[in-house]
């Protein structure tokens, strides 16, 4: 099956970004599972869920994803591994329109039940919004701000605003966290996926001060959650006033990782993320905290120096 | 019009408690407004909203209100003046059943839109749940725990578990808080309503440490919110492990106000609450923080002493 996508529009800069629809946890395609139940769910998403959401969201003239993220950050989400509030707000906003534009009572109920049953449903539009945020800061001459962090299970790569489309790469690390029942560290693959775009944009682990309950899912203590956010102010260039953290007196999330500060302080950006099984077909087996390899940032810093000398 | 009610069952103790359906903020009957728009809304609630929710909730075999409160306390609600998460979780849980049991697409959409448009919709079932919690602790011989706090705009009364149905009364106080646009302290009535049952049960202002964003609605700072909860541990007999506050390392909310501790420490229970206009017909004009008069507790303490001496 092919996959319908959310389309996120940055109306200020004219950029469009995209995300698939979230399948849930466990046996899901994006963590490498591909059994019959996975394919069946994907078909239903293509035939029922996608079209239903498309009709409802178009009838609403779009949904303000930034406003959902902003509210969710005040409701215990950090919008990477805790998406319970954002998902609930999304259902609230789209519910009546789903009913009004639905093809049948059964289909509409199945759509509402699927979204209601997946606390991570809003992760994907949040990721696309994060991509739109970072895209708005890309390709600024001489800027040392990181605009992409992505991993493929083997390598971890970053891109930097002032360094065009070049990737600065090092080995993907292993995740420290909590495993779903029946799995453990021996099952884990190294860090994988494009979801670290959330941290790159200032949410995710960078916003964990506002999401202390997440430690039930990824491990650690609420004090750790607070510390992660506090530390990230030291390696970022700004705080985002649209994404305020109530427990930090509504201070905006730390935003814009500065390669120079990462190297100067020897302090890596923190990422919380799902753990994929190392074998294909199994899927997600846990969630936790991980860091990029320092060499990505060292290589990028060297490239920034080179560019400056050659101007 | 008459008013449909939520029925809350305490299955352990066999108690039933009840609440009306929340009309929203501003011009609403429960804050003294009674104009045509108020009556029209009440009629719609009687004819459409109540029956629709009744069908959906019965089809689901009931909803676990305690679980909604427990989750909402981890999502920035304190379940008295911030009910955004609980309301969103409620919509999520009831949405599919509303569709399946609805009489028409238009009615179902109108119900979903009404609930989605009222961040305080879940206040009322939370209040009835709070009543069920306090009822379970009522009529315990010699107990000095407060089981009711209620105000009528003139008097503030409390009842104590070991003192039967006697009320201990003092003058209702004025609320310190934020006013809706166009209103100010001169418009305010003294403290009114039965919603302080939330604080009596351990949530509301007692749980504000987990709801720092509420200061945008009731005034003060996130540090105040944290302080209120911390202080309330000094005048309560227990913490409720079912209602954990993530930012306090999942410590349960302070529960069971002890008349003896209130008098010993001269520390009153804190309540956050809506501000009613002093003239009939206007409705809610703000929200803030208020305290009971100390004499309620002094009178109750004297009664506890008397009862002990006469045994």
């Amino acid at each position: 099956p092919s996959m319908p996508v959310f389309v996120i529009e940055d109306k200020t800069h004219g950029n469009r970004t995209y995300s698939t629809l979230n399948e849930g946890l466990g046996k899901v395609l994006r963590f490498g599972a591909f059994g019959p139940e996975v394919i069946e769910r994907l078909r239903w998403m293509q035939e029922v869920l996608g079209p239903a959401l498309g009709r409802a969201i178009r009838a609403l003239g779009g949904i303000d994803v930034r406003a959902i993220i902003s509210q969710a950050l005040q409701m215990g989400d950090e919008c990477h591994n805790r998406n319970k509030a954002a998902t609930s707000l999304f259902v609230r906003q789209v519910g009546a329109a789903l009913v009004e534009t639905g093809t049948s009572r059964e289909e509409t109920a199945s759509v509402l039940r699927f979204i209601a049953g997946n606390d991570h449903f809003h992760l994907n539009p949040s990721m696309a919004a994060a991509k739109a945020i970072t895209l708005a800061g890309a390709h600024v001459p001489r800027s040392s701000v990181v605009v992409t962090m992505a991993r493929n299970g083997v390598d971890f790569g970053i891109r930097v605003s002032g360094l065009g489309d070049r990737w600065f790469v090092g080995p993907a690390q292993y995740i420290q966290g909590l495993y779903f029942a029946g799995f453990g560290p021996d099952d884990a693959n190294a860090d994988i996926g494009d979801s670290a775009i959330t941290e790159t944009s200032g949410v995710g682990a960078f916003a964990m001060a506002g999401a202390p309950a997440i430690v039930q899912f990824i491990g650690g203590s609420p004090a750790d959650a607070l510390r992660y956010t506090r530390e990230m102010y030291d390696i970022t260039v700004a705080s985002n006033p649209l994404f305020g953290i109530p427990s930090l007196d509504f201070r905006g999330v730390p935003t814009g990782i500065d390669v120079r500060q990462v190297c100067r302080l020897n302090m890596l950006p923190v990422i919380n993320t799902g753990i994929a099984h190392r074998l294909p077909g199994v899927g997600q087996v846990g969630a936790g905290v991980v860091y990029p390899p320092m060499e990505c940032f060292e290589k990028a810093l060297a490239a920034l120096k080179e560019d400056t000398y050659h101007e």
Side-chain angles (χ1 to χ4, degrees), chain A:
Chain A
S2 76
M3 173 67 104
V5 293
F6 285 112
V7 181
I8 306 291
E9 286 188 11
D10 171 354
K11 292 187 176 174
T12 307
H13 301 89
N15 295 323
R16 282 185 164 204
T17 57
Y18 308 88
S19 71
T20 56
L21 310 184
N22 193 284
E23 309 160 74
L25 298 179
K27 293 202 174 181
V28 291
L29 186 71
R30 75 180 193 288
F31 276 98
F34 49 76
E37 70 196 80
V38 175
I39 304 302
E40 193 189 340
R41 189 194 301 119
L42 289 174
R43 279 198 201 287
W44 176 82
M45 292 171 77
Q46 178 183 9
E47 287 160 17
V48 177
L49 180 65
L53 283 174
R55 287 190 303 269
I57 292 172
R58 284 186 187 95
L60 291 168
I63 284 183
D64 187 342
V65 176
R66 191 174 69 182
I68 288 185
I69 295 173
S70 178
Q71 293 172 77
L73 292 173
Q74 303 200 356
M75 296 169 71
D77 280 7
E78 39 67 80
C79 298
H80 184 176
N81 275 282
R82 193 166 159 100
N83 303 286
K84 186 171 183 145
T87 298
S88 305
L89 291 169
F90 178 83
V91 173
R92 248 177 94 169
Q93 282 198 29
V94 86
L98 275 173
V99 170
E100 284 167 342
T101 61
T103 53
S104 76
R105 184 188 289 243
E106 290 68 30
E107 275 200 9
T108 303
S110 71
V111 166
L112 281 166
R113 193 160 277 132
F114 178 80
I115 303 176
N118 176 5
D119 269 339
H120 296 277
F121 189 76
H122 201 271
L123 167 59
N124 294 32
S126 288
M127 282 173 56
K131 182 68 192 173
I133 289 169
T134 55
L135 208 50
H139 300 294
V140 175
R142 296 195 186 188
S143 167
S144 56
V145 168
V146 176
V147 291
T148 320
M149 298 197 290
R151 322 82 98 198
N152 63 8
V154 178
D155 294 322
F156 192 117
I158 69 169
R159 291 190 296 190
V160 175
S161 180
L163 294 171
D165 290 328
R166 279 190 276 173
W167 285 97
F168 302 92
V169 175
Q173 306 293 300
Y174 283 86
I175 298 147
Q176 304 295 318
L178 299 179
Y179 287 85
F180 301 165
F183 298 102
D186 290 345
D187 301 307
N189 199 80
D191 192 16
I192 191 166
D194 51 3
S195 63
I197 195 71
T198 53
E199 281 81 9
T200 317
S201 79
V203 298
F206 281 41
M208 274 173 67
I214 198 176
V215 301
Q216 297 165 313
F217 187 57
I218 64 160
S221 72
D224 293 328
L226 200 59
R227 180 172 53 79
Y228 290 136
T229 297
R230 290 224 166 105
E231 286 180 352
M232 292 304 105
Y233 287 111
D234 289 339
I235 60 166
T236 48
V237 295
S239 62
N240 183 347
L242 294 170
F243 294 165
I245 305 278
S247 60
L248 300 180
D249 278 326
F250 300 96
R251 185 174 181 185
V253 294
T255 304
I257 301 160
D258 186 342
V259 163
R260 297 170 307 165
Q261 283 298 96
V262 170
C263 294
R264 186 177 290 147
L265 300 177
N266 193 28
M267 183 185 281
L268 289 162
V270 61
I271 296 164
N272 65 41
T273 197
I275 304 172
H277 200 283
R278 65 189 171 78
L279 299 176
V282 183
Q284 183 173 0
V285 296
V289 165
V290 71
Y291 295 88
M294 182 56 87
E295 57 207 89
C296 300
F297 299 89
E298 289 165 345
K299 288 175 183 171
L301 185 66
L304 281 165
K305 276 186 199 155
E306 240 174 63
D307 278 19
T308 309
Y309 287 128
H310 285 76
E311 264 170 19

